[in-house]
Amino acid sequence: FDPELSSRQFGVELSRLTSDERAVPLVVEKLINYIEMHGLYTEGIYRKSGSTNKIKELKQGLDTDANSVNLDDYNIHVIASVLKQWLRDLPNPLMTFELYEEFLRAM
């Protein structure tokens, strides 16, 4: 993890976004905290999609400088859509391919 190398948050290995000091990537923590504080009682929070242009704008802002993005400028559905997009863009899923059979067995 070296924040000086790249501020990119989307489409990168999870290991590049975490460290001993930061177990959860900054962008994930920021988005989830905002959703938890402002959107838990919003109907369809993860089902309804936000504006495509706003999603692109927020995603680009988070990729450029996650610390300076003001989430108050965005609809809660846009923020939830960006979180889902971040998860989709991971090169390797959180439920790893190596443990796929184990996850199936656990279900």
Side-chain angles (χ1 to χ4, degrees), residues 42-61:
T42 303
E43 183 181 344
I45 184 82
Y46 291 106
R47 183 177 44 83
K48 294 181 180 178
S49 185
S51 159
T52 303
N53 288 337
K54 287 292 191 180
I55 291 170
K56 286 180 186 176
E57 180 183 302
L58 178 55
K59 188 176 168 183
Q60 182 178 9

Side-chain angles (χ1 to χ4, degrees), residues 71-86:
L71 296 178
D72 289 329
D73 295 341
Y74 299 94
N75 176 290
I76 196 70
H77 294 290
V78 170
I79 294 167
S81 294
V82 169
L83 176 60
K84 292 190 308 184
Q85 187 65 53
W86 185 88

